[in-house]
Amino acid sequence: MASLVLSSLCFTSQKPCSFTSSLRFSFGVLAGSRSAAPLTVGFRPVKRRNGRIRVSVYSRASPLVFRDLDADDFRHPLDKQNTLILKAIPGLNELGRALLAGTVTEQIMLLENIGTSVLVSKDQLPELHKMMIEAAGILNIESPDLYVRQSPVPNAYTLAISGKKPFVVIHTSLVELLTLNELQAVLAHELGHLKCDHGVWLTFANLLTLGAYTVPGLGAFLAQTLEEQLFRWLRAAELTCDRAALLVAQDPKVVISILMKLAGGYPSMAGQLNMDAFLQQACSYDKASSSPVGNAQMRQLSHPLPVLRAREIDEWSRSNEYRSLLKRATQMNVVEKV
């Protein structure tokens, strides 16, 4: 039975130094990440009114639904290009499936993620449940299970096991950092990996980020033959999933705001963040990175840099391709949203 871990949304990361790294199976830890204050599982800061605690609930205007949406309708061109390159490598797909056949890895993944998280349902954190169901409906995909896990590191990731229902995990600090619309866009990003069947290639990338390149034989093969190509593909796949987030949010400002907050935002100052200034950073980065050092840095990253992702989604939101998708969509009705 094959297991595969799909990428997290949140951060760029480089390879860890050993295979004994924390088995959280995500790409989302930056060295020196700040620790958050004590966290609670919730949606917005609670307010006290007349002696009672009230929590804001999720609500949005009826979104557009993409009933006949195919993954290639929004797949990033670099994703398509690099997937073809990987498929052309003889035996790679078979090797990946063989690596994923072990039951030990499978059990570690299940125990680590399911055993330490809260399963979301219509009776458990129902607003989050509603957001996931709605996002899956918009993207025309079956809704996976959703878990909330206590962690000071804002992150989200997906686990898929062959023959079993996949599930998404989000960290409590991410819930605290984002608005409800932003949080649903994060869920949509993770759904994008499932929609696009980012399977075996993402698994190889995960093995690399977990330090599998240190394993004798296998490590040498991956490091020497696949490492740079896999990370190039992974960065492209993340751009595809940012597009999935936009298809659900249906507002580029929502997706850009997520990327800005993950780069350097925090709840108490969120209202002072400026998206135009953040997009301008992409131009500054282009100038500063036009050197061998900048190019070398990019080759080692699992995710595109946040400012570049923001610029990509801003440009796609104004493209004819995106507008054509919106024209094909239909309004979600009340019955579908329940």
Side-chain angles (χ1 to χ4, degrees), residues 222-271:
L222 289 176
Q224 295 174 14
T225 309
L226 300 174
E227 181 178 284
E228 185 173 328
Q229 181 58 48
L230 277 168
F231 277 95
R232 185 183 298 117
W233 171 85
L234 180 57
R235 292 191 296 271
E238 290 302 307
L239 297 177
T240 291
C241 293
D242 286 345
R243 292 181 172 191
L246 176 59
L247 290 176
V248 170
Q250 294 164 22
D251 182 353
K253 293 180 180 178
V254 172
V255 183
I256 294 170
S257 179
I258 295 169
L259 296 167
M260 182 169 52
K261 287 180 178 179
L262 291 172
Y266 47 103
S268 64
M269 301 290 283

Side-chain angles (χ1 to χ4, degrees), residues 4 6-9 69-72 74-76 79 132 135-136 138-144 157-158 166 168 184-199 202 233 236-248:
L4 62 97
L6 303 185
S7 162
S8 64
L9 164 82
L69 184 70
D70 184 80
D72 284 339
F74 64 92
R75 197 186 298 270
H76 195 281
D79 186 357
M132 174 61 89
I138 293 171
L139 293 175
N140 192 29
I141 184 175
E142 182 181 354
S143 177
Y157 50 92
T158 304
V168 172
Q184 187 182 48
V186 167
L187 299 179
H189 176 101
E190 298 304 320
L191 289 172
H193 286 302
L194 296 174
K195 179 75 176 179
C196 294
D197 195 23
H198 279 155
L202 243 163
W233 171 85
E238 290 302 307
L239 297 177
T240 291
C241 293
D242 286 345
R243 292 181 172 191
L246 176 59
L247 290 176
V248 170

Side-chain angles (χ1 to χ4, degrees), residues 43 120-131:
F43 306 103
V120 174
S121 70
K122 63 180 181 180
D123 300 316
Q124 180 75 276
L125 301 174
E127 298 302 323
L128 268 179
H129 177 69
K130 178 181 177 182
M131 291 160 62

Side-chain angles (χ1 to χ4, degrees), residues 88 137 155 302:
N155 210 353
S302 63

Side-chain angles (χ1 to χ4, degrees), residues 44-323:
R44 300 301 333 126
V46 296
K47 298 179 180 179
R48 188 175 297 274
R49 182 181 298 175
N50 297 328
R52 296 181 179 180
I53 293 178
R54 302 176 63 87
V55 181
S56 300
V57 296
Y58 173 70
S59 178
R60 67 179 286 192
S62 294
L64 297 174
V65 182
F66 304 91
R67 299 190 184 281
D68 58 348
L69 184 70
D70 184 80
D72 284 339
D73 289 338
F74 64 92
R75 197 186 298 270
H76 195 281
L78 291 176
D79 186 357
K80 295 178 183 178
Q81 175 185 333
N82 284 285
T83 298
L84 290 175
I85 293 173
L86 289 175
K87 285 182 177 180
I89 300 175
L92 181 59
N93 188 66
E94 291 75 14
L95 175 60
R97 298 188 186 284
L99 288 172
L100 297 175
T103 57
V104 174
T105 301
E106 186 175 289
Q107 289 302 313
I108 291 175
M109 291 177 179
L110 288 171
L111 291 173
E112 177 71 13
N113 290 297
I114 297 178
T116 59
S117 308
V118 173
L119 175 62
V120 174
S121 70
K122 63 180 181 180
D123 300 316
Q124 180 75 276
L125 301 174
E127 298 302 323
L128 268 179
H129 177 69
K130 178 181 177 182
M131 291 160 62
M132 174 61 89
I133 295 296
E134 183 178 272
I138 293 171
L139 293 175
N140 192 29
I141 184 175
E142 182 181 354
S143 177
D145 287 334
L146 174 62
Y147 289 84
V148 177
R149 182 174 181 177
Q150 190 71 230
S151 174
V153 180
N155 210 353
Y157 50 92
T158 304
L159 175 68
I161 298 175
S162 179
K164 295 185 179 181
K165 190 174 184 180
F167 62 85
V168 172
V169 179
I170 59 172
H171 289 178
T172 50
S173 51
L174 188 63
V175 176
E176 293 296 324
L177 179 64
L178 303 179
T179 68
L180 296 180
N181 286 339
E182 291 166 356
L183 189 58
Q184 187 182 48
V186 167
L187 299 179
H189 176 101
E190 298 304 320
L191 289 172
H193 286 302
L194 296 174
K195 179 75 176 179
C196 294
D197 195 23
H198 279 155
V200 66
W201 318 121
L202 243 163
T203 304
F204 273 118
N206 273 282
L207 290 173
L208 287 175
T209 60
L210 289 171
Y213 60 88
T214 63
V215 178
L218 168 64
F221 173 78
L222 289 176
Q224 295 174 14
T225 309
L226 300 174
E227 181 178 284
E228 185 173 328
Q229 181 58 48
L230 277 168
F231 277 95
R232 185 183 298 117
W233 171 85
L234 180 57
R235 292 191 296 271
E238 290 302 307
L239 297 177
T240 291
C241 293
D242 286 345
R243 292 181 172 191
L246 176 59
L247 290 176
V248 170
Q250 294 164 22
D251 182 353
K253 293 180 180 178
V254 172
V255 183
I256 294 170
S257 179
I258 295 169
L259 296 167
M260 182 169 52
K261 287 180 178 179
L262 291 172
Y266 47 103
S268 64
M269 301 290 283
Q272 298 184 36
L273 291 170
N274 185 310
M275 277 179 277
D276 290 333
F278 188 65
L279 288 171
Q280 187 61 37
Q281 283 183 229
C283 298
S284 300
Y285 183 84
D286 286 339
K287 295 176 182 178
S289 64
S290 58
S291 66
V293 173
N295 293 328
Q297 180 200 32
M298 286 296 296
R299 287 197 297 270
Q300 295 297 313
L301 296 178
S302 63
H303 286 48
L305 295 170
V307 289
L308 303 184
R309 291 171 68 179
R311 181 176 64 185
E312 281 279 337
I313 209 64
D314 177 61
E315 291 176 352
W316 194 63
S317 72
R318 293 182 275 107
S319 70
N320 291 331
E321 183 182 4
Y322 176 65
R323 291 170 183 167

